[in-house]
Amino acid sequence: KGIVTGYKGAEPTYLHTIDPTKSELYGGQQQTFVAPYTKCNRIEDYRTAWAHFEKIFNTIYRFYNIVDDAEITMEANPDDLSDEYVSMLSTLSFNRISIGIQSFNDKTLKLLNRRHNSTQAIEAFNYCRKYGFQNISLDLMYGLPGESMESWGKDLDIITKLNPEHI
């Protein structure tokens, strides 16, 4: 019937979709969906993460009409995108990765209390390319405290060389 969203008295109410779904986004403020598995140390951890993702996708495909060319995006922090984790993500339905880089300036990243550094940000992008992601978005922030036009220009130079599909 659909996904139970609540109850009217003793009767369940269901979420139904009629229109085809063209886009799915996993992320937002809770970056890197199923985040506990991003720091996997054992192959069993990756299998567990994959099983969780697969269960979620199976549920979504069961209750929603997802079009064949739907854009399915994973938002992630750069330090969560290890070689192994991106390899696992590439076997699922994700076809776009949005990476919250914010800046390539390590001082600025520390000021923002980010967990990653500029090297990790570039590595995360490269892992995504390595495993076949051809639709990558890199997020930058402009007008940060202490940012100069020179430092902003350096961020733009780096991101231009990486050549993502979206900025």
Side-chain angles (χ1 to χ4, degrees):
K1 286 186 176 182
I3 298 173
V4 175
T5 59
Y7 289 88
K8 271 189 178 173
E11 292 298 313
T13 56
Y14 295 95
L15 172 67
H16 298 280
T17 62
I18 298 169
D19 296 329
T21 301
K22 298 177 183 174
S23 179
E24 296 177 47
L25 172 67
Y26 297 87
Q29 291 186 12
Q30 181 68 24
Q31 296 251 335
T32 313
F33 193 57
V34 191
Y37 301 106
T38 62
K39 302 295 184 202
C40 300
N41 294 318
R42 302 170 304 149
I43 193 68
E44 297 83 25
D45 295 331
Y46 287 104
R47 287 186 185 127
T48 302
W50 188 89
H52 282 270
F53 280 118
E54 192 66 13
K55 185 175 183 179
I56 291 164
F57 280 119
N58 287 340
T59 301
I60 289 168
Y61 284 104
R62 182 173 161 210
F63 292 108
Y64 292 90
N65 178 15
I66 308 297
V67 298
D68 290 338
D69 62 346
E71 183 173 83
I72 303 173
T73 305
M74 160 69 82
E75 288 189 344
N77 289 311
D79 62 314
D80 290 334
L81 294 173
S82 67
D83 186 277
E84 297 83 5
Y85 191 67
V86 176
S87 173
M88 184 268 299
L89 292 175
S90 73
T91 67
L92 296 163
S93 296
F94 298 112
N95 55 25
R96 180 176 178 182
I97 302 286
S98 179
I99 307 172
I101 290 175
Q102 316 318 353
S103 175
F104 291 101
N105 182 308
D106 288 337
K107 276 186 169 178
T108 302
L109 291 169
K110 282 185 181 184
L111 179 70
L112 294 172
N113 203 26
R114 300 294 293 184
R115 299 181 318 222
H116 69 279
N117 60 41
S118 59
T119 300
Q120 289 171 307
I122 293 168
E123 286 175 347
F125 177 84
N126 290 332
Y127 291 144
C128 291
R129 285 289 194 237
K130 175 182 175 180
Y131 290 103
F133 288 99
Q134 297 301 312
N135 192 1
I136 301 173
S137 174
L138 300 180
D139 298 344
L140 287 180
M141 297 175 89
Y142 174 73
L144 295 167
E147 184 176 60
S148 65
M149 288 309 290
E150 181 183 349
S151 64
W152 176 243
K154 287 179 182 178
D155 279 354
L156 294 177
D157 286 344
I158 293 169
I159 208 165
T160 301
K161 287 176 185 161
L162 291 174
N163 197 26
E165 287 67 33
H166 307 274
I167 299 173

